[in-house]
Amino acid sequence: MMLGVMMAVVVVTGIVGALHPSSNVEVVDALTLHLQGEFVESNLGTAIEPNGSVTVRIVAEQYDFVPRCVRVPAATPVKFRLTSADVVHGFLLPNTNVNTMVVPGFVAEVRTSFATPGEYAMPCHEFCGLGHQAMWAHVSVVPKDQFASVTPVERVSCVPK
Ligand code: CUA
């Protein structure tokens, strides 16, 4: 009986520990990114939150960011959430505080805001293979009052308006 209780405690604490890793490290299954959860393709790009801020979800993979271009409003809190489908990539927006590693199995989260409209080139800055040099994407920052009229398709493709 006692042994059974101890076994149960070990199993339960093990499961709880696995479900709630210490610190705020967020894990995600890199092998099923496209099948389920936050990073399915239809959920990528810029989403508008109830409080008016935006969340941008991007998957990095050899040798692309998906989507390649995201549109966000200026003067608005922007939260980037990224993960990798394969190897370690890097996400860097020059002249901003955005600079993070994108590691498979984990979610990288960076918060920023863009004071003025403009185009930001987005190079992968972690060597990730032969195509690394060509791994670029863009963040297009549009005036806040114009963002409401940007359609969901335009938010992830940056097709000129
Ligand atoms: Cu991806 Cu370098």
Side-chain angles (χ1 to χ4, degrees), residues 54-92:
V54 300
T55 301
V56 179
R57 293 183 178 86
I58 298 173
V59 171
E61 58 185 35
Q62 291 166 316
Y63 296 100
D64 260 320
F65 291 98
V66 182
R68 283 187 183 176
C69 183
V70 291
R71 224 184 270 258
V72 300
T76 303
V78 178
K79 180 168 71 183
F80 287 97
R81 287 175 61 77
L82 295 96
T83 192
S84 168
D86 39 48
V87 301
V88 176
H89 299 276
F91 180 66
L92 169 72

PDB file of all heavy atoms in Angstrom, residues 54-92:
ATOM      1  N   VAL A  54      -1.281  44.009 -30.685  1.00  0.00           N
ATOM      2  CA  VAL A  54      -1.259  42.949 -31.690  1.00  0.00           C
ATOM      3  C   VAL A  54      -0.243  41.879 -31.307  1.00  0.00           C
ATOM      4  O   VAL A  54       0.743  42.153 -30.622  1.00  0.00           O
ATOM      5  CB  VAL A  54      -0.957  43.479 -33.119  1.00  0.00           C
ATOM      6  CG1 VAL A  54      -1.999  44.478 -33.566  1.00  0.00           C
ATOM      7  CG2 VAL A  54       0.433  44.054 -33.194  1.00  0.00           C
ATOM      8  N   THR A  55      -0.534  40.669 -31.749  1.00  0.00           N
ATOM      9  CA  THR A  55       0.381  39.546 -31.564  1.00  0.00           C
ATOM     10  C   THR A  55       0.749  39.018 -32.940  1.00  0.00           C
ATOM     11  O   THR A  55      -0.128  38.811 -33.774  1.00  0.00           O
ATOM     12  CB  THR A  55      -0.283  38.423 -30.745  1.00  0.00           C
ATOM     13  OG1 THR A  55      -0.662  38.943 -29.469  1.00  0.00           O
ATOM     14  CG2 THR A  55       0.672  37.246 -30.550  1.00  0.00           C
ATOM     15  N   VAL A  56       2.045  38.846 -33.166  1.00  0.00           N
ATOM     16  CA  VAL A  56       2.536  38.346 -34.448  1.00  0.00           C
ATOM     17  C   VAL A  56       3.139  36.968 -34.229  1.00  0.00           C
ATOM     18  O   VAL A  56       4.018  36.802 -33.385  1.00  0.00           O
ATOM     19  CB  VAL A  56       3.609  39.284 -35.042  1.00  0.00           C
ATOM     20  CG1 VAL A  56       4.133  38.726 -36.367  1.00  0.00           C
ATOM     21  CG2 VAL A  56       3.049  40.682 -35.236  1.00  0.00           C
ATOM     22  N   ARG A  57       2.634  36.000 -34.965  1.00  0.00           N
ATOM     23  CA  ARG A  57       3.168  34.641 -34.847  1.00  0.00           C
ATOM     24  C   ARG A  57       3.895  34.265 -36.130  1.00  0.00           C
ATOM     25  O   ARG A  57       3.345  34.432 -37.229  1.00  0.00           O
ATOM     26  CB  ARG A  57       2.047  33.649 -34.559  1.00  0.00           C
ATOM     27  CG  ARG A  57       1.436  33.876 -33.191  1.00  0.00           C
ATOM     28  CD  ARG A  57       0.366  32.879 -32.841  1.00  0.00           C
ATOM     29  NE  ARG A  57      -0.146  33.142 -31.498  1.00  0.00           N
ATOM     30  CZ  ARG A  57      -1.116  34.009 -31.221  1.00  0.00           C
ATOM     31  NH1 ARG A  57      -1.685  34.708 -32.186  1.00  0.00           N
ATOM     32  NH2 ARG A  57      -1.503  34.187 -29.971  1.00  0.00           N
ATOM     33  N   ILE A  58       5.126  33.786 -35.969  1.00  0.00           N
ATOM     34  CA  ILE A  58       5.976  33.466 -37.112  1.00  0.00           C
ATOM     35  C   ILE A  58       6.677  32.138 -36.853  1.00  0.00           C
ATOM     36  O   ILE A  58       7.142  31.886 -35.748  1.00  0.00           O
ATOM     37  CB  ILE A  58       7.047  34.577 -37.323  1.00  0.00           C
ATOM     38  CG1 ILE A  58       6.380  35.924 -37.626  1.00  0.00           C
ATOM     39  CG2 ILE A  58       8.021  34.195 -38.431  1.00  0.00           C
ATOM     40  CD1 ILE A  58       7.346  37.100 -37.678  1.00  0.00           C
ATOM     41  N   VAL A  59       6.732  31.317 -37.891  1.00  0.00           N
ATOM     42  CA  VAL A  59       7.529  30.097 -37.822  1.00  0.00           C
ATOM     43  C   VAL A  59       8.784  30.304 -38.666  1.00  0.00           C
ATOM     44  O   VAL A  59       8.702  30.740 -39.820  1.00  0.00           O
ATOM     45  CB  VAL A  59       6.739  28.876 -38.337  1.00  0.00           C
ATOM     46  CG1 VAL A  59       7.656  27.659 -38.466  1.00  0.00           C
ATOM     47  CG2 VAL A  59       5.583  28.559 -37.397  1.00  0.00           C
ATOM     48  N   ALA A  60       9.937  30.009 -38.100  1.00  0.00           N
ATOM     49  CA  ALA A  60      11.193  30.052 -38.838  1.00  0.00           C
ATOM     50  C   ALA A  60      11.532  28.642 -39.284  1.00  0.00           C
ATOM     51  O   ALA A  60      11.394  27.691 -38.512  1.00  0.00           O
ATOM     52  CB  ALA A  60      12.303  30.612 -37.949  1.00  0.00           C
ATOM     53  N   GLU A  61      11.922  28.514 -40.538  1.00  0.00           N
ATOM     54  CA  GLU A  61      12.316  27.195 -41.038  1.00  0.00           C
ATOM     55  C   GLU A  61      13.329  27.408 -42.138  1.00  0.00           C
ATOM     56  O   GLU A  61      13.392  28.470 -42.734  1.00  0.00           O
ATOM     57  CB  GLU A  61      11.095  26.423 -41.535  1.00  0.00           C
ATOM     58  CG  GLU A  61      10.342  27.145 -42.635  1.00  0.00           C
ATOM     59  CD  GLU A  61       9.054  26.432 -43.040  1.00  0.00           C
ATOM     60  OE1 GLU A  61       8.406  25.853 -42.156  1.00  0.00           O
ATOM     61  OE2 GLU A  61       8.722  26.474 -44.220  1.00  0.00           O
ATOM     62  N   GLN A  62      14.122  26.383 -42.412  1.00  0.00           N
ATOM     63  CA  GLN A  62      15.116  26.499 -43.482  1.00  0.00           C
ATOM     64  C   GLN A  62      14.396  26.646 -44.817  1.00  0.00           C
ATOM     65  O   GLN A  62      13.677  25.722 -45.201  1.00  0.00           O
ATOM     66  CB  GLN A  62      16.007  25.257 -43.506  1.00  0.00           C
ATOM     67  CG  GLN A  62      16.937  25.184 -42.278  1.00  0.00           C
ATOM     68  CD  GLN A  62      17.560  23.817 -42.143  1.00  0.00           C
ATOM     69  OE1 GLN A  62      16.894  22.804 -42.287  1.00  0.00           O
ATOM     70  NE2 GLN A  62      18.839  23.763 -41.838  1.00  0.00           N
ATOM     71  N   TYR A  63      14.475  27.738 -45.557  1.00  0.00           N
ATOM     72  CA  TYR A  63      15.189  28.965 -45.223  1.00  0.00           C
ATOM     73  C   TYR A  63      14.229  30.119 -45.420  1.00  0.00           C
ATOM     74  O   TYR A  63      14.364  30.902 -46.342  1.00  0.00           O
ATOM     75  CB  TYR A  63      16.428  29.132 -46.120  1.00  0.00           C
ATOM     76  CG  TYR A  63      17.436  28.028 -45.872  1.00  0.00           C
ATOM     77  CD1 TYR A  63      17.530  26.938 -46.730  1.00  0.00           C
ATOM     78  CD2 TYR A  63      18.273  28.072 -44.749  1.00  0.00           C
ATOM     79  CE1 TYR A  63      18.436  25.917 -46.478  1.00  0.00           C
ATOM     80  CE2 TYR A  63      19.185  27.051 -44.512  1.00  0.00           C
ATOM     81  CZ  TYR A  63      19.259  25.983 -45.372  1.00  0.00           C
ATOM     82  OH  TYR A  63      20.141  24.966 -45.134  1.00  0.00           O
ATOM     83  N   ASP A  64      13.242  30.165 -44.579  1.00  0.00           N
ATOM     84  CA  ASP A  64      12.199  31.177 -44.700  1.00  0.00           C
ATOM     85  C   ASP A  64      11.618  31.491 -43.331  1.00  0.00           C
ATOM     86  O   ASP A  64      11.647  30.654 -42.434  1.00  0.00           O
ATOM     87  CB  ASP A  64      11.042  30.655 -45.562  1.00  0.00           C
ATOM     88  CG  ASP A  64      11.103  31.161 -46.981  1.00  0.00           C
ATOM     89  OD1 ASP A  64      11.440  32.347 -47.174  1.00  0.00           O
ATOM     90  OD2 ASP A  64      10.801  30.379 -47.893  1.00  0.00           O
ATOM     91  N   PHE A  65      11.078  32.689 -43.247  1.00  0.00           N
ATOM     92  CA  PHE A  65      10.156  32.976 -42.155  1.00  0.00           C
ATOM     93  C   PHE A  65       8.753  32.846 -42.732  1.00  0.00           C
ATOM     94  O   PHE A  65       8.496  33.276 -43.857  1.00  0.00           O
ATOM     95  CB  PHE A  65      10.360  34.395 -41.618  1.00  0.00           C
ATOM     96  CG  PHE A  65      11.657  34.583 -40.889  1.00  0.00           C
ATOM     97  CD1 PHE A  65      12.758  35.132 -41.533  1.00  0.00           C
ATOM     98  CD2 PHE A  65      11.782  34.221 -39.557  1.00  0.00           C
ATOM     99  CE1 PHE A  65      13.958  35.308 -40.864  1.00  0.00           C
ATOM    100  CE2 PHE A  65      12.975  34.389 -38.877  1.00  0.00           C
ATOM    101  CZ  PHE A  65      14.067  34.934 -39.532  1.00  0.00           C
ATOM    102  N   VAL A  66       7.859  32.242 -41.988  1.00  0.00           N
ATOM    103  CA  VAL A  66       6.469  32.092 -42.447  1.00  0.00           C
ATOM    104  C   VAL A  66       5.568  32.820 -41.471  1.00  0.00           C
ATOM    105  O   VAL A  66       5.531  32.447 -40.296  1.00  0.00           O
ATOM    106  CB  VAL A  66       6.065  30.600 -42.529  1.00  0.00           C
ATOM    107  CG1 VAL A  66       4.640  30.483 -43.050  1.00  0.00           C
ATOM    108  CG2 VAL A  66       7.049  29.818 -43.385  1.00  0.00           C
ATOM    109  N   PRO A  67       4.858  33.862 -41.906  1.00  0.00           N
ATOM    110  CA  PRO A  67       4.886  34.431 -43.256  1.00  0.00           C
ATOM    111  C   PRO A  67       6.157  35.257 -43.482  1.00  0.00           C
ATOM    112  O   PRO A  67       6.825  35.640 -42.535  1.00  0.00           O
ATOM    113  CB  PRO A  67       3.649  35.332 -43.275  1.00  0.00           C
ATOM    114  CG  PRO A  67       3.421  35.700 -41.853  1.00  0.00           C
ATOM    115  CD  PRO A  67       3.883  34.534 -41.037  1.00  0.00           C
ATOM    116  N   ARG A  68       6.430  35.556 -44.762  1.00  0.00           N
ATOM    117  CA  ARG A  68       7.654  36.285 -45.095  1.00  0.00           C
ATOM    118  C   ARG A  68       7.569  37.748 -44.719  1.00  0.00           C
ATOM    119  O   ARG A  68       8.581  38.403 -44.535  1.00  0.00           O
ATOM    120  CB  ARG A  68       7.920  36.203 -46.596  1.00  0.00           C
ATOM    121  CG  ARG A  68       8.480  34.879 -47.008  1.00  0.00           C
ATOM    122  CD  ARG A  68       8.880  34.942 -48.454  1.00  0.00           C
ATOM    123  NE  ARG A  68       9.366  33.639 -48.892  1.00  0.00           N
ATOM    124  CZ  ARG A  68       9.720  33.380 -50.134  1.00  0.00           C
ATOM    125  NH1 ARG A  68       9.631  34.341 -51.037  1.00  0.00           N
ATOM    126  NH2 ARG A  68      10.140  32.193 -50.464  1.00  0.00           N
ATOM    127  N   CYS A  69       6.373  38.249 -44.700  1.00  0.00           N
ATOM    128  CA  CYS A  69       6.193  39.654 -44.360  1.00  0.00           C
ATOM    129  C   CYS A  69       4.976  39.784 -43.459  1.00  0.00           C
ATOM    130  O   CYS A  69       3.956  39.156 -43.708  1.00  0.00           O
ATOM    131  CB  CYS A  69       6.001  40.502 -45.622  1.00  0.00           C
ATOM    132  SG  CYS A  69       5.872  42.265 -45.260  1.00  0.00           S
ATOM    133  N   VAL A  70       5.110  40.556 -42.417  1.00  0.00           N
ATOM    134  CA  VAL A  70       3.956  40.840 -41.565  1.00  0.00           C
ATOM    135  C   VAL A  70       3.748  42.339 -41.509  1.00  0.00           C
ATOM    136  O   VAL A  70       4.696  43.124 -41.585  1.00  0.00           O
ATOM    137  CB  VAL A  70       4.127  40.280 -40.130  1.00  0.00           C
ATOM    138  CG1 VAL A  70       4.094  38.761 -40.144  1.00  0.00           C
ATOM    139  CG2 VAL A  70       5.406  40.787 -39.484  1.00  0.00           C
ATOM    140  N   ARG A  71       2.489  42.734 -41.395  1.00  0.00           N
ATOM    141  CA  ARG A  71       2.142  44.137 -41.295  1.00  0.00           C
ATOM    142  C   ARG A  71       1.649  44.400 -39.880  1.00  0.00           C
ATOM    143  O   ARG A  71       0.833  43.631 -39.358  1.00  0.00           O
ATOM    144  CB  ARG A  71       1.038  44.452 -42.291  1.00  0.00           C
ATOM    145  CG  ARG A  71       1.234  45.735 -43.060  1.00  0.00           C
ATOM    146  CD  ARG A  71       0.046  45.978 -43.929  1.00  0.00           C
ATOM    147  NE  ARG A  71       0.185  45.392 -45.245  1.00  0.00           N
ATOM    148  CZ  ARG A  71       0.503  46.101 -46.329  1.00  0.00           C
ATOM    149  NH1 ARG A  71       0.726  47.380 -46.245  1.00  0.00           N
ATOM    150  NH2 ARG A  71       0.584  45.509 -47.496  1.00  0.00           N
ATOM    151  N   VAL A  72       2.142  45.450 -39.266  1.00  0.00           N
ATOM    152  CA  VAL A  72       1.708  45.799 -37.913  1.00  0.00           C
ATOM    153  C   VAL A  72       1.438  47.300 -37.847  1.00  0.00           C
ATOM    154  O   VAL A  72       1.956  48.064 -38.653  1.00  0.00           O
ATOM    155  CB  VAL A  72       2.781  45.426 -36.855  1.00  0.00           C
ATOM    156  CG1 VAL A  72       3.077  43.926 -36.872  1.00  0.00           C
ATOM    157  CG2 VAL A  72       4.062  46.218 -37.060  1.00  0.00           C
ATOM    158  N   PRO A  73       0.623  47.742 -36.877  1.00  0.00           N
ATOM    159  CA  PRO A  73       0.354  49.173 -36.724  1.00  0.00           C
ATOM    160  C   PRO A  73       1.476  49.859 -35.944  1.00  0.00           C
ATOM    161  O   PRO A  73       2.080  49.257 -35.049  1.00  0.00           O
ATOM    162  CB  PRO A  73      -0.954  49.195 -35.933  1.00  0.00           C
ATOM    163  CG  PRO A  73      -0.970  47.907 -35.183  1.00  0.00           C
ATOM    164  CD  PRO A  73      -0.197  46.905 -35.990  1.00  0.00           C
ATOM    165  N   ALA A  74       1.726  51.132 -36.281  1.00  0.00           N
ATOM    166  CA  ALA A  74       2.685  51.933 -35.519  1.00  0.00           C
ATOM    167  C   ALA A  74       2.077  52.315 -34.168  1.00  0.00           C
ATOM    168  O   ALA A  74       0.858  52.240 -33.976  1.00  0.00           O
ATOM    169  CB  ALA A  74       3.050  53.191 -36.304  1.00  0.00           C
ATOM    170  N   ALA A  75       2.940  52.705 -33.236  1.00  0.00           N
ATOM    171  CA  ALA A  75       2.512  53.239 -31.935  1.00  0.00           C
ATOM    172  C   ALA A  75       1.545  52.304 -31.224  1.00  0.00           C
ATOM    173  O   ALA A  75       0.558  52.739 -30.620  1.00  0.00           O
ATOM    174  CB  ALA A  75       1.890  54.629 -32.124  1.00  0.00           C
ATOM    175  N   THR A  76       1.823  51.022 -31.283  1.00  0.00           N
ATOM    176  CA  THR A  76       0.960  49.995 -30.710  1.00  0.00           C
ATOM    177  C   THR A  76       1.844  48.901 -30.112  1.00  0.00           C
ATOM    178  O   THR A  76       2.854  48.550 -30.719  1.00  0.00           O
ATOM    179  CB  THR A  76       0.090  49.375 -31.832  1.00  0.00           C
ATOM    180  OG1 THR A  76      -0.653  50.409 -32.467  1.00  0.00           O
ATOM    181  CG2 THR A  76      -0.852  48.321 -31.290  1.00  0.00           C
ATOM    182  N   PRO A  77       1.478  48.388 -28.942  1.00  0.00           N
ATOM    183  CA  PRO A  77       2.271  47.275 -28.411  1.00  0.00           C
ATOM    184  C   PRO A  77       2.211  46.067 -29.349  1.00  0.00           C
ATOM    185  O   PRO A  77       1.124  45.664 -29.774  1.00  0.00           O
ATOM    186  CB  PRO A  77       1.598  46.958 -27.071  1.00  0.00           C
ATOM    187  CG  PRO A  77       0.851  48.207 -26.717  1.00  0.00           C
ATOM    188  CD  PRO A  77       0.420  48.815 -28.029  1.00  0.00           C
ATOM    189  N   VAL A  78       3.381  45.544 -29.690  1.00  0.00           N
ATOM    190  CA  VAL A  78       3.475  44.390 -30.584  1.00  0.00           C
ATOM    191  C   VAL A  78       4.212  43.274 -29.848  1.00  0.00           C
ATOM    192  O   VAL A  78       5.287  43.494 -29.299  1.00  0.00           O
ATOM    193  CB  VAL A  78       4.241  44.729 -31.882  1.00  0.00           C
ATOM    194  CG1 VAL A  78       4.367  43.489 -32.774  1.00  0.00           C
ATOM    195  CG2 VAL A  78       3.553  45.857 -32.636  1.00  0.00           C
ATOM    196  N   LYS A  79       3.590  42.120 -29.844  1.00  0.00           N
ATOM    197  CA  LYS A  79       4.220  40.955 -29.226  1.00  0.00           C
ATOM    198  C   LYS A  79       4.533  39.951 -30.317  1.00  0.00           C
ATOM    199  O   LYS A  79       3.625  39.493 -31.018  1.00  0.00           O
ATOM    200  CB  LYS A  79       3.275  40.357 -28.180  1.00  0.00           C
ATOM    201  CG  LYS A  79       3.826  39.137 -27.474  1.00  0.00           C
ATOM    202  CD  LYS A  79       2.989  38.775 -26.260  1.00  0.00           C
ATOM    203  CE  LYS A  79       1.640  38.213 -26.664  1.00  0.00           C
ATOM    204  NZ  LYS A  79       0.795  37.928 -25.485  1.00  0.00           N
ATOM    205  N   PHE A  80       5.817  39.656 -30.507  1.00  0.00           N
ATOM    206  CA  PHE A  80       6.214  38.631 -31.474  1.00  0.00           C
ATOM    207  C   PHE A  80       6.335  37.291 -30.761  1.00  0.00           C
ATOM    208  O   PHE A  80       6.951  37.209 -29.697  1.00  0.00           O
ATOM    209  CB  PHE A  80       7.571  38.974 -32.095  1.00  0.00           C
ATOM    210  CG  PHE A  80       7.534  40.100 -33.076  1.00  0.00           C
ATOM    211  CD1 PHE A  80       7.863  41.388 -32.683  1.00  0.00           C
ATOM    212  CD2 PHE A  80       7.169  39.876 -34.400  1.00  0.00           C
ATOM    213  CE1 PHE A  80       7.832  42.439 -33.591  1.00  0.00           C
ATOM    214  CE2 PHE A  80       7.134  40.930 -35.309  1.00  0.00           C
ATOM    215  CZ  PHE A  80       7.459  42.210 -34.900  1.00  0.00           C
ATOM    216  N   ARG A  81       5.736  36.282 -31.335  1.00  0.00           N
ATOM    217  CA  ARG A  81       5.912  34.915 -30.829  1.00  0.00           C
ATOM    218  C   ARG A  81       6.409  34.062 -31.984  1.00  0.00           C
ATOM    219  O   ARG A  81       5.767  33.974 -33.023  1.00  0.00           O
ATOM    220  CB  ARG A  81       4.595  34.372 -30.266  1.00  0.00           C
ATOM    221  CG  ARG A  81       4.226  35.026 -28.934  1.00  0.00           C
ATOM    222  CD  ARG A  81       2.880  34.604 -28.429  1.00  0.00           C
ATOM    223  NE  ARG A  81       2.744  33.182 -28.175  1.00  0.00           N
ATOM    224  CZ  ARG A  81       3.237  32.547 -27.094  1.00  0.00           C
ATOM    225  NH1 ARG A  81       3.886  33.212 -26.171  1.00  0.00           N
ATOM    226  NH2 ARG A  81       3.065  31.246 -26.948  1.00  0.00           N
ATOM    227  N   LEU A  82       7.581  33.467 -31.776  1.00  0.00           N
ATOM    228  CA  LEU A  82       8.205  32.699 -32.842  1.00  0.00           C
ATOM    229  C   LEU A  82       8.624  31.328 -32.349  1.00  0.00           C
ATOM    230  O   LEU A  82       8.943  31.145 -31.176  1.00  0.00           O
ATOM    231  CB  LEU A  82       9.486  33.396 -33.339  1.00  0.00           C
ATOM    232  CG  LEU A  82       9.346  34.752 -34.006  1.00  0.00           C
ATOM    233  CD1 LEU A  82       9.599  35.852 -32.996  1.00  0.00           C
ATOM    234  CD2 LEU A  82      10.335  34.868 -35.147  1.00  0.00           C
ATOM    235  N   THR A  83       8.668  30.411 -33.293  1.00  0.00           N
ATOM    236  CA  THR A  83       9.298  29.137 -33.005  1.00  0.00           C
ATOM    237  C   THR A  83       9.899  28.617 -34.297  1.00  0.00           C
ATOM    238  O   THR A  83       9.700  29.188 -35.366  1.00  0.00           O
ATOM    239  CB  THR A  83       8.311  28.131 -32.382  1.00  0.00           C
ATOM    240  OG1 THR A  83       9.046  27.013 -31.873  1.00  0.00           O
ATOM    241  CG2 THR A  83       7.296  27.655 -33.408  1.00  0.00           C
ATOM    242  N   SER A  84      10.682  27.552 -34.178  1.00  0.00           N
ATOM    243  CA  SER A  84      11.364  26.991 -35.335  1.00  0.00           C
ATOM    244  C   SER A  84      10.826  25.615 -35.649  1.00  0.00           C
ATOM    245  O   SER A  84      10.497  24.843 -34.744  1.00  0.00           O
ATOM    246  CB  SER A  84      12.864  26.898 -35.063  1.00  0.00           C
ATOM    247  OG  SER A  84      13.479  26.106 -36.070  1.00  0.00           O
ATOM    248  N   ALA A  85      10.750  25.316 -36.939  1.00  0.00           N
ATOM    249  CA  ALA A  85      10.304  23.990 -37.368  1.00  0.00           C
ATOM    250  C   ALA A  85      11.476  23.032 -37.518  1.00  0.00           C
ATOM    251  O   ALA A  85      11.274  21.836 -37.689  1.00  0.00           O
ATOM    252  CB  ALA A  85       9.549  24.093 -38.686  1.00  0.00           C
ATOM    253  N   ASP A  86      12.719  23.549 -37.469  1.00  0.00           N
ATOM    254  CA  ASP A  86      13.848  22.633 -37.699  1.00  0.00           C
ATOM    255  C   ASP A  86      15.058  22.961 -36.815  1.00  0.00           C
ATOM    256  O   ASP A  86      15.216  22.366 -35.759  1.00  0.00           O
ATOM    257  CB  ASP A  86      14.212  22.589 -39.191  1.00  0.00           C
ATOM    258  CG  ASP A  86      14.123  23.959 -39.862  1.00  0.00           C
ATOM    259  OD1 ASP A  86      14.658  24.933 -39.297  1.00  0.00           O
ATOM    260  OD2 ASP A  86      13.519  24.052 -40.945  1.00  0.00           O
ATOM    261  N   VAL A  87      15.886  23.900 -37.243  1.00  0.00           N
ATOM    262  CA  VAL A  87      17.123  24.166 -36.502  1.00  0.00           C
ATOM    263  C   VAL A  87      17.028  25.533 -35.829  1.00  0.00           C
ATOM    264  O   VAL A  87      16.004  26.216 -35.924  1.00  0.00           O
ATOM    265  CB  VAL A  87      18.348  24.109 -37.438  1.00  0.00           C
ATOM    266  CG1 VAL A  87      18.454  22.740 -38.094  1.00  0.00           C
ATOM    267  CG2 VAL A  87      18.271  25.204 -38.492  1.00  0.00           C
ATOM    268  N   VAL A  88      18.099  25.948 -35.169  1.00  0.00           N
ATOM    269  CA  VAL A  88      18.104  27.243 -34.506  1.00  0.00           C
ATOM    270  C   VAL A  88      18.239  28.355 -35.541  1.00  0.00           C
ATOM    271  O   VAL A  88      19.134  28.331 -36.386  1.00  0.00           O
ATOM    272  CB  VAL A  88      19.263  27.341 -33.484  1.00  0.00           C
ATOM    273  CG1 VAL A  88      19.321  28.730 -32.854  1.00  0.00           C
ATOM    274  CG2 VAL A  88      19.100  26.273 -32.413  1.00  0.00           C
ATOM    275  N   HIS A  89      17.319  29.312 -35.486  1.00  0.00           N
ATOM    276  CA  HIS A  89      17.391  30.501 -36.318  1.00  0.00           C
ATOM    277  C   HIS A  89      17.496  31.721 -35.408  1.00  0.00           C
ATOM    278  O   HIS A  89      17.386  31.603 -34.187  1.00  0.00           O
ATOM    279  CB  HIS A  89      16.146  30.629 -37.208  1.00  0.00           C
ATOM    280  CG  HIS A  89      15.956  29.478 -38.152  1.00  0.00           C
ATOM    281  ND1 HIS A  89      16.574  29.401 -39.374  1.00  0.00           N
ATOM    282  CD2 HIS A  89      15.223  28.351 -38.031  1.00  0.00           C
ATOM    283  CE1 HIS A  89      16.219  28.264 -39.968  1.00  0.00           C
ATOM    284  NE2 HIS A  89      15.398  27.609 -39.176  1.00  0.00           N
ATOM    285  N   GLY A  90      17.687  32.882 -36.023  1.00  0.00           N
ATOM    286  CA  GLY A  90      17.756  34.109 -35.232  1.00  0.00           C
ATOM    287  C   GLY A  90      16.792  35.130 -35.797  1.00  0.00           C
ATOM    288  O   GLY A  90      16.570  35.196 -36.999  1.00  0.00           O
ATOM    289  N   PHE A  91      16.231  35.946 -34.918  1.00  0.00           N
ATOM    290  CA  PHE A  91      15.245  36.949 -35.330  1.00  0.00           C
ATOM    291  C   PHE A  91      15.715  38.296 -34.814  1.00  0.00           C
ATOM    292  O   PHE A  91      15.889  38.483 -33.607  1.00  0.00           O
ATOM    293  CB  PHE A  91      13.887  36.581 -34.730  1.00  0.00           C
ATOM    294  CG  PHE A  91      12.772  37.533 -35.072  1.00  0.00           C
ATOM    295  CD1 PHE A  91      12.323  37.668 -36.370  1.00  0.00           C
ATOM    296  CD2 PHE A  91      12.148  38.273 -34.072  1.00  0.00           C
ATOM    297  CE1 PHE A  91      11.273  38.536 -36.675  1.00  0.00           C
ATOM    298  CE2 PHE A  91      11.103  39.130 -34.370  1.00  0.00           C
ATOM    299  CZ  PHE A  91      10.664  39.259 -35.673  1.00  0.00           C
ATOM    300  N   LEU A  92      15.949  39.216 -35.726  1.00  0.00           N
ATOM    301  CA  LEU A  92      16.558  40.489 -35.371  1.00  0.00           C
ATOM    302  C   LEU A  92      15.923  41.592 -36.198  1.00  0.00           C
ATOM    303  O   LEU A  92      15.844  41.480 -37.423  1.00  0.00           O
ATOM    304  CB  LEU A  92      18.061  40.430 -35.681  1.00  0.00           C
ATOM    305  CG  LEU A  92      18.853  41.727 -35.620  1.00  0.00           C
ATOM    306  CD1 LEU A  92      19.025  42.176 -34.188  1.00  0.00           C
ATOM    307  CD2 LEU A  92      20.206  41.529 -36.281  1.00  0.00           C
TER     308      LEU A  92
END
